[in-house]
């Protein structure tokens, strides 16, 4: 069993959640049960799946949860792009989170490949 608290991808995932919650406050109130709910749930799913994967006994299962977390990461990115396209959140406000999403995706992909090749 791995200690998820020591993994940089988990720590970055927690930071992503915090940033998504702050950004989601800029969404219109009528999006409370729509886009805001969707993007925050997808963000929470990233570190949650990393943590759950760490509880698994095999690398194959761990890799699968990392792949699920990667899917959630892409969901968050897509939902933030939609927020930008709908002029809900200014592009300048998304620069830092897009950089963090990219960093997280690269780290996750690297770990998935290491597991796949071992």
């Amino acid at each position: 069993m791995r200690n998820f608290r020591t993994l940089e991808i988990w720590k970055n995932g927690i930071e992503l959640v915090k940033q998504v919650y702050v950004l989601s406050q800029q969404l219109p109130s009528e999006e409370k049960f729509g886009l805001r709910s969707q993007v925050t749930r997808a963000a929470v799913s990233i570190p949650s799946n990393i943590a759950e994967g760490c509880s698994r006994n095999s690398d194959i299962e761990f890799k699968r949860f990392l792949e699920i977390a990667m899917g959630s990461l892409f969901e968050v990115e897509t939902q933030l792009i939609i927020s930008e396209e709908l002029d809900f959140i200014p592009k300048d406000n998304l620069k830092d989170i897009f950089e963090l999403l990219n960093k997280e995706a690269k780290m996750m992909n690297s770990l998935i490949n290491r597991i796949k090749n071992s």
Side-chain angles (χ1 to χ4, degrees), residues 13-14 16-17 20-21 39-49 72 76:
I14 295 295
L16 274 168
V17 171
V20 165
Y21 266 86
V39 72
T40 54
R41 284 186 295 121
V44 167
S45 181
I46 297 167
S48 298
N49 275 294
S72 296
V76 169

Side-chain angles (χ1 to χ4, degrees), residues 43-109:
V44 167
S45 181
I46 297 167
S48 298
N49 275 294
I50 293 166
E52 187 172 354
C54 286
S55 74
R56 303 304 168 140
N57 291 323
S58 76
D59 283 346
I60 291 171
E61 286 182 285
F62 180 45
K63 182 177 81 64
R64 178 70 187 126
F65 278 91
L66 291 174
E67 291 166 344
I68 294 167
M70 181 76 86
S72 296
L73 186 143
F74 290 155
E75 281 185 56
V76 169
E77 183 174 4
T78 298
Q79 292 153 2
L80 292 175
I81 290 168
I82 291 168
S83 298
E84 177 190 345
E85 294 284 323
L86 294 172
D87 293 324
F88 290 158
I89 301 176
K91 186 176 190 168
D92 291 345
N93 295 11
L94 295 170
K95 184 178 181 260
D96 291 342
I97 198 163
F98 282 148
E99 288 175 7
L100 188 56
L101 284 163
N102 188 45
K103 177 183 175 183
E104 181 79 342
K106 286 179 180 177
M107 290 172 54
M108 222 180 297
N109 193 48

